[in-house]
Amino acid sequence: MIKRPSDQVKEAGTRPLDHSTTWPLFFRLRHYANAVWAENIKEWKLELTYPLDFLRSLIDPVVYLLPYVLYGVALVGGRFSPNLAKLVGTTDIVSFITIGYVFIGFMNMALWAMGFSLRKEQMYGTLEAVFAAPVPRWVFTMGMSMHSILHQFLMIAVQLLFVLAVFNIKVNPLGLLPALAMIGLMLVALYGIGMIMASTTLIFKQGWLISEALGSILMVVTPIAYPLAVLPVFMQKAALGVPTTYGILAARHFLLGEQMGFSVGAAFLRVAVLCVVWVVFGLVIFAAIDRSTRRSGTLSHY
């Protein structure tokens, strides 16, 4: 059905005019995929404009990893810990911490990269122009997410090359594919969290305040550099609501043989449920806040 211009103007008051909504599904998805890719390419062009800063972003995670590893080795009196073996079934604390630390980058992607991307558009003065594009808002945030994920995999590659060269980590190669499958599923759930973080920028402008508070909490409850069993019981329960917990435990289970306390099937099922919960929750929150800021006329406030 062809809409009247008055109806289109009325709709444009609450969301961008998206003529693609009348297209067949295939063409609509291709249109959205092109928009996601364009947003991803735009972020890469901006980032590579400053090559030294880009190189620093690749080296920083390696530098930040070393204190965790060296502190762990100092505490247990060496690289291998019998007590760690009793708790999780593996003795190599360097491999344990290194694989766990990789997931900090994924958390930062959801908490910082996606949320701060909207802030960057505000700082550039281009947020309104980006939001006026004839695609749904989630397409824009998915493009930001794609860039963040690709950037994160580059940083992980640099980290792993350094650690493999210095510490000679040995992992089960047969566990690589299932570990990547779990990481892929976990990234979907983190996309939902990233949507919430991005929406806070529209209200508070300085969305990093929310990201830092939530990031600090997640850093404590997620078993990155220590086993889940050492946390108090209530924090262990809180950790089971975070997708990165299952990502870390499952990845170390497949690569190092860590005991998870639940089956592999249960881990995948729980992350799948978290994907649905976080993505639906993130989309609803983002849409509500976006609609509210447009109606109040505060979208352009800096």
Side-chain angles (χ1 to χ4, degrees):
M1 182 180 69
I2 300 176
K3 296 179 180 177
R4 294 174 303 177
S6 57
D7 294 336
Q8 294 180 346
V9 170
K10 188 183 298 181
E11 288 181 1
T14 56
R15 60 185 172 82
L17 200 58
D18 184 3
H19 295 292
S20 67
T21 55
T22 59
W23 295 354
L25 180 62
F26 172 77
F27 293 104
R28 197 186 312 169
L29 292 177
R30 190 176 66 175
H31 176 64
Y32 293 164
N34 288 336
V36 169
W37 184 251
E39 177 62 26
N40 169 50
I41 294 298
K42 184 208 73 176
E43 286 296 312
W44 277 113
K45 286 182 177 178
L46 287 173
E47 192 163 39
L48 294 177
T49 302
Y50 308 97
L52 287 180
D53 189 50
F54 175 72
L55 289 175
R56 179 200 56 78
S57 71
L58 296 181
I59 296 172
D60 275 354
V62 175
V63 177
Y64 296 148
L65 166 66
L66 288 177
Y68 284 88
V69 173
L70 298 177
Y71 190 59
V73 170
L75 280 181
V76 302
R79 175 167 178 168
F80 301 100
S81 166
N83 190 51
L84 184 65
K86 291 179 184 176
L87 291 171
V88 298
T90 179
T91 60
D92 188 356
I93 193 166
V94 172
S95 301
F96 182 86
I97 291 176
T98 300
I99 294 178
Y101 185 82
V102 163
F103 287 81
I104 287 182
F106 291 121
M107 288 172 54
N108 288 338
M109 175 205 77
L111 296 173
W112 289 96
M114 288 184 64
F116 195 67
S117 290
L118 282 183
R119 186 58 177 165
K120 283 196 298 184
E121 297 291 353
Q122 285 181 325
M123 294 165 66
Y124 298 152
T126 54
L127 181 62
E128 296 86 347
V130 169
F131 269 24
V135 291
R137 302 282 188 272
W138 61 264
V139 172
F140 171 68
T141 55
M142 185 167 283
M144 295 188 302
S145 177
M146 174 181 280
H147 165 264
S148 299
I149 290 172
L150 294 176
H151 190 159
Q152 189 56 44
F153 273 112
L154 269 180
M155 290 193 294
I156 290 173
V158 173
Q159 272 182 311
L160 291 181
L161 286 175
F162 174 82
V163 173
L164 288 172
V166 174
F167 295 107
N168 188 28
I169 288 180
K170 294 180 180 178
V171 298
N172 177 14
L174 298 178
L176 189 59
L177 284 180
L180 288 175
M182 172 58 80
I183 291 173
L185 198 58
M186 179 196 72
L187 289 175
V188 176
L190 286 178
Y191 172 73
I193 297 177
M195 288 284 291
I196 298 173
M197 291 300 102
S199 65
T200 61
T201 300
L202 299 177
I203 296 179
F204 302 108
K205 311 305 176 187
Q206 296 288 4
W208 64 269
L209 294 169
I210 307 295
S211 297
E212 183 163 328
L214 184 59
S216 300
I217 295 172
L218 292 181
M219 282 284 291
V220 174
V221 300
T222 305
I224 293 168
Y226 42 77
L228 191 63
V230 304
L231 292 173
V233 175
F234 77 95
M235 294 177 73
Q236 291 184 34
K237 292 180 178 177
L240 297 180
V242 181
T244 45
T245 296
Y246 297 101
I248 291 174
L249 293 180
R252 286 196 298 228
H253 172 76
F254 292 125
L255 298 175
L256 300 177
E258 177 177 349
Q259 299 164 1
M260 295 190 292
F262 41 80
S263 67
V264 171
F268 275 97
L269 178 62
R270 292 180 187 183
V271 176
V273 171
L274 289 175
C275 284
V276 175
V277 171
W278 280 113
V279 169
V280 170
F281 189 54
L283 289 172
V284 169
I285 293 293
F286 188 92
I289 292 177
D290 173 50
R291 187 165 52 247
S292 173
T293 52
R294 290 172 65 85
R295 286 177 175 171
S296 62
T298 58
L299 182 63
S300 61
H301 290 184
Y302 184 71

